[in-house]
Short mmCIF file of all heavy atoms in Angstrom, two decimals:
data_model
loop_
_atom_site.label_atom_id
_atom_site.label_comp_id
_atom_site.label_asym_id
_atom_site.label_seq_id
_atom_site.Cartn_x
_atom_site.Cartn_y
_atom_site.Cartn_z
N THR A 1 115.56 79.10 90.37
CA THR A 1 114.98 79.29 91.70
C THR A 1 116.05 79.40 92.73
O THR A 1 116.02 80.23 93.64
CB THR A 1 113.97 78.16 92.01
OG1 THR A 1 112.96 78.12 91.01
CG2 THR A 1 113.31 78.40 93.39
N GLU A 2 117.12 78.62 92.56
CA GLU A 2 118.21 78.65 93.54
C GLU A 2 118.93 80.05 93.46
O GLU A 2 119.20 80.66 94.48
CB GLU A 2 119.21 77.52 93.26
CG GLU A 2 120.40 77.54 94.27
CD GLU A 2 121.35 76.40 93.96
OE1 GLU A 2 121.31 75.75 92.88
OE2 GLU A 2 122.23 76.19 94.82
N GLN A 3 119.15 80.45 92.22
CA GLN A 3 119.84 81.75 92.06
C GLN A 3 118.94 82.82 92.58
O GLN A 3 119.45 83.75 93.25
CB GLN A 3 120.10 81.94 90.56
CG GLN A 3 120.92 83.18 90.27
CD GLN A 3 121.29 83.30 88.85
OE1 GLN A 3 120.95 82.44 88.02
NE2 GLN A 3 122.16 84.27 88.57
N ASP A 4 117.68 82.85 92.32
CA ASP A 4 116.76 83.87 92.84
C ASP A 4 116.68 83.86 94.34
O ASP A 4 116.69 84.89 95.00
CB ASP A 4 115.36 83.72 92.25
CG ASP A 4 115.22 84.09 90.86
OD1 ASP A 4 116.12 84.74 90.23
OD2 ASP A 4 114.19 83.73 90.22
N SER A 5 116.67 82.67 94.92
CA SER A 5 116.67 82.57 96.41
C SER A 5 117.94 83.17 97.01
O SER A 5 117.87 83.86 98.02
CB SER A 5 116.48 81.09 96.84
OG SER A 5 115.25 80.60 96.36
N LEU A 6 119.09 82.77 96.43
CA LEU A 6 120.39 83.24 97.00
C LEU A 6 120.49 84.77 96.77
O LEU A 6 121.03 85.48 97.69
CB LEU A 6 121.52 82.51 96.29
CG LEU A 6 121.59 81.01 96.62
CD1 LEU A 6 122.75 80.38 95.88
CD2 LEU A 6 121.81 80.81 98.09
N LEU A 7 119.97 85.26 95.67
CA LEU A 7 119.98 86.78 95.46
C LEU A 7 119.15 87.46 96.50
O LEU A 7 119.56 88.46 97.06
CB LEU A 7 119.54 87.04 94.04
CG LEU A 7 119.48 88.48 93.64
CD1 LEU A 7 120.88 89.11 93.63
CD2 LEU A 7 118.77 88.67 92.35
N ARG A 8 117.98 86.92 96.78
CA ARG A 8 117.08 87.49 97.77
C ARG A 8 117.75 87.49 99.17
O ARG A 8 117.62 88.43 99.96
CB ARG A 8 115.73 86.82 97.77
CG ARG A 8 114.88 87.18 96.51
CD ARG A 8 113.66 86.26 96.45
NE ARG A 8 112.85 86.24 95.26
CZ ARG A 8 112.75 86.97 94.23
NH1 ARG A 8 113.50 88.01 94.06
NH2 ARG A 8 111.88 86.79 93.28
N LEU A 9 118.40 86.30 99.48
CA LEU A 9 119.08 86.26 100.76
C LEU A 9 120.21 87.23 100.87
O LEU A 9 120.41 87.89 101.90
CB LEU A 9 119.64 84.84 100.94
CG LEU A 9 118.65 83.79 101.35
CD1 LEU A 9 119.30 82.40 101.37
CD2 LEU A 9 118.01 84.12 102.73
N ALA A 10 120.93 87.37 99.80
CA ALA A 10 122.06 88.39 99.80
C ALA A 10 121.52 89.80 99.92
O ALA A 10 122.12 90.59 100.75
CB ALA A 10 122.83 88.27 98.48
N LEU A 11 120.46 90.14 99.29
CA LEU A 11 119.86 91.41 99.41
C LEU A 11 119.42 91.64 100.90
O LEU A 11 119.59 92.78 101.44
CB LEU A 11 118.72 91.61 98.45
CG LEU A 11 117.89 92.94 98.63
CD1 LEU A 11 118.77 94.13 98.37
CD2 LEU A 11 116.66 92.87 97.66
N ASN A 12 118.74 90.70 101.46
CA ASN A 12 118.23 90.82 102.80
C ASN A 12 119.42 90.99 103.78
O ASN A 12 119.40 91.84 104.64
CB ASN A 12 117.42 89.53 103.17
CG ASN A 12 116.80 89.66 104.60
OD1 ASN A 12 117.49 89.47 105.59
ND2 ASN A 12 115.52 89.91 104.65
N HIS A 13 120.45 90.16 103.63
CA HIS A 13 121.66 90.29 104.46
C HIS A 13 122.27 91.61 104.36
O HIS A 13 122.64 92.27 105.37
CB HIS A 13 122.62 89.14 104.13
CG HIS A 13 123.90 89.20 104.95
ND1 HIS A 13 123.86 88.89 106.26
CD2 HIS A 13 125.11 89.53 104.62
CE1 HIS A 13 125.10 89.02 106.75
NE2 HIS A 13 125.86 89.43 105.76
N ALA A 14 122.47 92.11 103.10
CA ALA A 14 123.15 93.41 102.94
C ALA A 14 122.30 94.54 103.57
O ALA A 14 122.86 95.41 104.22
CB ALA A 14 123.29 93.63 101.44
N THR A 15 120.97 94.48 103.39
CA THR A 15 120.12 95.57 103.96
C THR A 15 120.18 95.56 105.47
O THR A 15 120.40 96.64 106.05
CB THR A 15 118.69 95.27 103.52
OG1 THR A 15 118.55 95.28 102.09
CG2 THR A 15 117.73 96.35 104.09
N TRP A 16 120.09 94.46 106.06
CA TRP A 16 120.12 94.43 107.53
C TRP A 16 121.53 94.67 108.15
O TRP A 16 121.67 95.19 109.18
CB TRP A 16 119.49 93.13 108.09
CG TRP A 16 118.01 93.23 107.88
CD1 TRP A 16 117.27 92.67 106.90
CD2 TRP A 16 117.06 93.96 108.72
NE1 TRP A 16 115.93 93.03 107.01
CE2 TRP A 16 115.81 93.80 108.13
CE3 TRP A 16 117.19 94.74 109.85
CZ2 TRP A 16 114.66 94.40 108.69
CZ3 TRP A 16 116.08 95.30 110.42
CH2 TRP A 16 114.79 95.16 109.79
N THR A 17 122.55 94.25 107.38
CA THR A 17 123.95 94.48 107.86
C THR A 17 124.18 95.98 107.81
O THR A 17 124.78 96.52 108.77
CB THR A 17 124.95 93.73 107.01
OG1 THR A 17 124.64 92.39 107.10
CG2 THR A 17 126.40 94.06 107.45
N VAL A 18 123.82 96.68 106.70
CA VAL A 18 123.99 98.10 106.59
C VAL A 18 123.22 98.82 107.71
O VAL A 18 123.68 99.87 108.27
CB VAL A 18 123.62 98.63 105.17
CG1 VAL A 18 123.65 100.10 105.15
CG2 VAL A 18 124.63 98.03 104.20
N GLN A 19 122.03 98.36 107.98
CA GLN A 19 121.23 98.96 109.10
C GLN A 19 121.97 98.84 110.42
O GLN A 19 122.01 99.78 111.18
CB GLN A 19 119.85 98.25 109.19
CG GLN A 19 119.07 98.60 110.39
CD GLN A 19 118.57 100.05 110.43
OE1 GLN A 19 118.65 100.77 109.45
NE2 GLN A 19 117.99 100.47 111.52
N ASP A 20 122.58 97.70 110.68
CA ASP A 20 123.41 97.48 111.88
C ASP A 20 124.54 98.49 111.92
O ASP A 20 124.83 99.07 112.97
CB ASP A 20 123.89 96.08 112.03
CG ASP A 20 122.78 95.08 112.32
OD1 ASP A 20 121.68 95.52 112.75
OD2 ASP A 20 123.04 93.86 112.17
N VAL A 21 125.23 98.63 110.82
CA VAL A 21 126.34 99.58 110.73
C VAL A 21 125.80 101.05 111.04
O VAL A 21 126.45 101.82 111.73
CB VAL A 21 127.03 99.51 109.35
CG1 VAL A 21 128.03 100.68 109.21
CG2 VAL A 21 127.74 98.15 109.22
N GLY A 22 124.68 101.34 110.45
CA GLY A 22 124.12 102.67 110.67
C GLY A 22 123.77 102.87 112.18
O GLY A 22 123.96 103.95 112.69
N GLN A 23 123.34 101.83 112.84
CA GLN A 23 123.01 102.02 114.24
C GLN A 23 124.30 102.19 115.06
O GLN A 23 124.32 102.99 116.04
CB GLN A 23 122.33 100.74 114.79
CG GLN A 23 120.89 100.59 114.28
CD GLN A 23 120.02 101.84 114.64
OE1 GLN A 23 120.07 102.34 115.73
NE2 GLN A 23 119.14 102.21 113.75
N THR A 24 125.37 101.57 114.66
CA THR A 24 126.67 101.82 115.32
C THR A 24 127.16 103.22 115.12
O THR A 24 127.62 103.86 116.04
CB THR A 24 127.73 100.80 114.79
OG1 THR A 24 127.22 99.45 115.04
CG2 THR A 24 129.09 100.99 115.43
N VAL A 25 127.01 103.69 113.86
CA VAL A 25 127.32 105.10 113.57
C VAL A 25 126.57 106.04 114.46
O VAL A 25 127.10 107.04 114.98
CB VAL A 25 127.24 105.41 112.07
CG1 VAL A 25 127.31 106.90 111.82
CG2 VAL A 25 128.21 104.61 111.29
N HIS A 26 125.28 105.73 114.55
CA HIS A 26 124.40 106.60 115.39
C HIS A 26 124.86 106.66 116.81
O HIS A 26 124.94 107.77 117.42
CB HIS A 26 122.95 106.05 115.31
CG HIS A 26 122.00 106.87 116.02
ND1 HIS A 26 121.61 106.54 117.32
CD2 HIS A 26 121.30 107.99 115.66
CE1 HIS A 26 120.69 107.46 117.78
NE2 HIS A 26 120.50 108.36 116.75
N ARG A 27 125.26 105.51 117.33
CA ARG A 27 125.74 105.50 118.78
C ARG A 27 127.02 106.23 118.92
O ARG A 27 127.30 107.01 119.87
CB ARG A 27 125.99 104.07 119.18
CG ARG A 27 124.67 103.36 119.61
CD ARG A 27 124.96 102.06 120.31
NE ARG A 27 125.74 101.14 119.62
CZ ARG A 27 125.27 100.22 118.68
NH1 ARG A 27 123.96 100.20 118.44
NH2 ARG A 27 126.08 99.42 118.06
N TRP A 28 127.97 106.17 117.93
CA TRP A 28 129.25 106.79 117.97
C TRP A 28 129.16 108.27 117.68
O TRP A 28 130.07 109.05 118.08
CB TRP A 28 130.27 106.18 117.09
CG TRP A 28 130.68 104.74 117.49
CD1 TRP A 28 130.36 104.15 118.68
CD2 TRP A 28 131.39 103.86 116.76
NE1 TRP A 28 130.90 102.89 118.71
CE2 TRP A 28 131.57 102.69 117.51
CE3 TRP A 28 132.01 103.89 115.49
CZ2 TRP A 28 132.26 101.56 117.05
CZ3 TRP A 28 132.72 102.75 115.08
CH2 TRP A 28 132.81 101.60 115.86
N ALA A 29 128.13 108.70 116.98
CA ALA A 29 128.05 110.11 116.52
C ALA A 29 127.68 111.07 117.64
O ALA A 29 127.81 112.27 117.48
CB ALA A 29 127.05 110.22 115.37
N GLY A 30 127.20 110.56 118.71
CA GLY A 30 126.81 111.45 119.83
C GLY A 30 125.69 112.37 119.46
O GLY A 30 124.81 111.97 118.75
N THR A 31 125.80 113.60 119.88
CA THR A 31 124.62 114.58 119.60
C THR A 31 124.60 114.98 118.09
O THR A 31 123.58 115.49 117.65
CB THR A 31 124.80 115.85 120.45
OG1 THR A 31 126.07 116.41 120.19
CG2 THR A 31 124.69 115.46 121.87
N ALA A 32 125.64 114.71 117.30
CA ALA A 32 125.54 115.06 115.87
C ALA A 32 124.48 114.22 115.17
O ALA A 32 123.95 114.68 114.16
CB ALA A 32 126.91 114.84 115.25
N ALA A 33 124.17 113.13 115.73
CA ALA A 33 123.16 112.23 115.13
C ALA A 33 121.72 112.73 115.31
O ALA A 33 120.86 112.27 114.58
CB ALA A 33 123.27 110.79 115.64
N ILE A 34 121.55 113.66 116.23
CA ILE A 34 120.15 114.10 116.48
C ILE A 34 119.84 115.44 115.74
O ILE A 34 118.76 115.90 115.79
CB ILE A 34 119.89 114.32 118.02
CG1 ILE A 34 120.78 115.42 118.58
CG2 ILE A 34 120.00 112.96 118.70
CD1 ILE A 34 120.47 115.72 120.02
N ARG A 35 120.88 115.96 115.04
CA ARG A 35 120.63 117.17 114.23
C ARG A 35 120.43 116.89 112.80
O ARG A 35 120.88 115.86 112.29
CB ARG A 35 121.87 118.04 114.38
CG ARG A 35 122.08 118.59 115.82
CD ARG A 35 123.27 119.56 115.83
NE ARG A 35 123.48 120.01 117.18
CZ ARG A 35 124.20 119.42 118.08
NH1 ARG A 35 124.74 118.28 117.80
NH2 ARG A 35 124.34 119.88 119.31
N ARG A 36 119.73 117.70 112.07
CA ARG A 36 119.57 117.52 110.69
C ARG A 36 120.93 117.65 109.99
O ARG A 36 121.68 118.52 110.24
CB ARG A 36 118.67 118.67 110.05
CG ARG A 36 117.20 118.50 110.44
CD ARG A 36 116.35 119.06 109.34
NE ARG A 36 114.95 118.84 109.42
CZ ARG A 36 114.32 117.71 109.22
NH1 ARG A 36 115.02 116.64 108.80
NH2 ARG A 36 113.05 117.62 109.32
N GLY A 37 121.13 116.69 109.10
CA GLY A 37 122.35 116.63 108.41
C GLY A 37 122.59 115.28 107.71
O GLY A 37 121.67 114.48 107.65
N PRO A 38 123.82 115.01 107.28
CA PRO A 38 124.08 113.82 106.52
C PRO A 38 123.77 112.54 107.37
O PRO A 38 123.19 111.59 106.86
CB PRO A 38 125.51 113.86 106.18
CG PRO A 38 125.94 115.29 106.41
CD PRO A 38 124.95 115.92 107.31
N ILE A 39 124.23 112.57 108.64
CA ILE A 39 123.99 111.36 109.45
C ILE A 39 122.50 111.08 109.63
O ILE A 39 122.00 109.98 109.48
CB ILE A 39 124.66 111.46 110.84
CG1 ILE A 39 126.17 111.47 110.61
CG2 ILE A 39 124.33 110.29 111.71
CD1 ILE A 39 127.02 111.75 111.93
N ASP A 40 121.69 112.12 109.93
CA ASP A 40 120.31 111.99 110.11
C ASP A 40 119.62 111.44 108.85
O ASP A 40 118.84 110.53 108.83
CB ASP A 40 119.70 113.33 110.45
CG ASP A 40 118.20 113.39 110.49
OD1 ASP A 40 117.60 112.50 111.22
OD2 ASP A 40 117.54 114.16 109.75
N ARG A 41 120.06 111.97 107.67
CA ARG A 41 119.49 111.60 106.38
C ARG A 41 119.82 110.06 106.13
O ARG A 41 119.02 109.23 105.73
CB ARG A 41 119.98 112.40 105.27
CG ARG A 41 119.24 112.12 103.94
CD ARG A 41 119.74 113.05 102.77
NE ARG A 41 121.10 112.78 102.42
CZ ARG A 41 122.16 113.59 102.62
NH1 ARG A 41 121.98 114.80 103.18
NH2 ARG A 41 123.37 113.27 102.26
N PHE A 42 121.10 109.69 106.31
CA PHE A 42 121.53 108.29 106.08
C PHE A 42 120.78 107.34 106.97
O PHE A 42 120.35 106.30 106.51
CB PHE A 42 122.99 108.16 106.24
CG PHE A 42 123.88 108.94 105.26
CD1 PHE A 42 125.02 109.54 105.64
CD2 PHE A 42 123.44 109.04 103.96
CE1 PHE A 42 125.82 110.22 104.77
CE2 PHE A 42 124.24 109.69 103.01
CZ PHE A 42 125.37 110.33 103.44
N LEU A 43 120.55 107.73 108.23
CA LEU A 43 119.86 106.82 109.14
C LEU A 43 118.43 106.67 108.70
O LEU A 43 117.91 105.52 108.79
CB LEU A 43 119.96 107.35 110.55
CG LEU A 43 121.29 107.27 111.27
CD1 LEU A 43 121.27 107.98 112.56
CD2 LEU A 43 121.69 105.86 111.43
N ARG A 44 117.78 107.77 108.24
CA ARG A 44 116.42 107.57 107.69
C ARG A 44 116.39 106.71 106.51
O ARG A 44 115.54 105.88 106.34
CB ARG A 44 115.81 108.95 107.44
CG ARG A 44 115.36 109.70 108.70
CD ARG A 44 114.68 110.97 108.34
NE ARG A 44 115.69 112.00 108.06
CZ ARG A 44 115.78 112.77 106.94
NH1 ARG A 44 114.86 112.59 106.04
NH2 ARG A 44 116.72 113.63 106.78
#
């Protein structure tokens, strides 16, 4: 149970951390982020 709990916490942390990184990329990408392409797909 401890191992499962820690694994679930690690997954949650990784998911939301990557989302935060993606939001930073979106801000820095400027208008490239609003066009269809790799950045748009990664953000979705």
Side-chain angles (χ1 to χ4, degrees):
T1 304
E2 180 179 13
Q3 187 173 5
D4 287 347
S5 297
L6 293 176
L7 180 67
R8 289 168 187 351
L9 282 174
L11 174 62
N12 184 283
H13 178 70
T15 300
W16 287 98
T17 299
V18 170
Q19 170 68 9
D20 288 344
V21 170
Q23 291 299 323
T24 300
V25 169
H26 182 263
R27 281 193 302 274
W28 291 352
T31 59
I34 63 174
R35 294 185 181 87
R36 285 211 176 281
I39 294 175
D40 174 55
R41 187 178 69 248
F42 293 143
L43 289 172
R44 282 185 281 125

